[in-house]
Amino acid sequence: MVPEYEKIIVLIIVLLASFLTWKMVKDFYITKFHSIFAHLIAIITASFMLLSSMFLFMPKNYQRGVTAEVELNFLSVATVIAMLAILYLFFKYMPDNKKK
């Protein structure tokens, strides 16, 4: 695969994971706190998701200008999906399950 396409795919995955994290966390905390505090908590959590998912795609032996900036592999994509699934479980499924 062309390295530019790998960068674009990783960027889309990382930004989508961060956005979904922000949305789940904001929707959860908006019922408990003021909207500004819920938004700040969601931004901080999404920033950590952005950093952690970017570290997943970083090559192990990265050297600036020598190796590729990102490595698209199945394990990293599966890890991001697992992190999102766990967040979904904590912020969407469990609170709804307790209401019933």
Side-chain angles (χ1 to χ4, degrees):
M1 187 176 287
V2 180
E4 287 78 28
Y5 289 135
E6 283 187 4
K7 290 178 190 176
I8 293 170
I9 292 170
V10 167
L11 182 66
I12 290 171
I13 291 170
V14 167
L15 289 176
L16 184 65
S18 298
F19 174 75
L20 291 174
T21 301
W22 171 80
K23 181 76 173 131
M24 284 187 280
V25 172
K26 185 182 80 66
D27 289 345
F28 178 77
Y29 282 116
I30 201 131
T31 61
K32 294 169 181 33
F33 298 123
H34 191 271
S35 63
I36 294 174
F37 293 124
H39 191 67
L40 287 174
I41 292 169
I43 288 173
I44 292 168
T45 309
S47 299
F48 283 123
M49 175 61 87
L50 181 86
L51 286 174
S52 63
S53 56
M54 276 307 296
F55 286 139
L56 282 173
F57 292 105
M58 192 170 72
K60 304 294 182 244
N61 58 352
Y62 175 70
Q63 294 177 353
R64 186 174 179 183
V66 177
T67 60
E69 286 88 9
V70 294
E71 264 182 8
L72 183 63
N73 55 20
F74 176 74
L75 186 61
S76 298
V77 174
T79 305
V80 170
I81 291 172
M83 288 190 301
L84 286 173
I86 291 170
L87 283 175
Y88 180 80
L89 182 71
F90 285 151
F91 290 118
K92 291 284 186 179
Y93 181 71
M94 284 186 171
D96 289 341
N97 201 10
K98 289 180 182 178
K99 292 178 186 175
K100 293 178 183 177

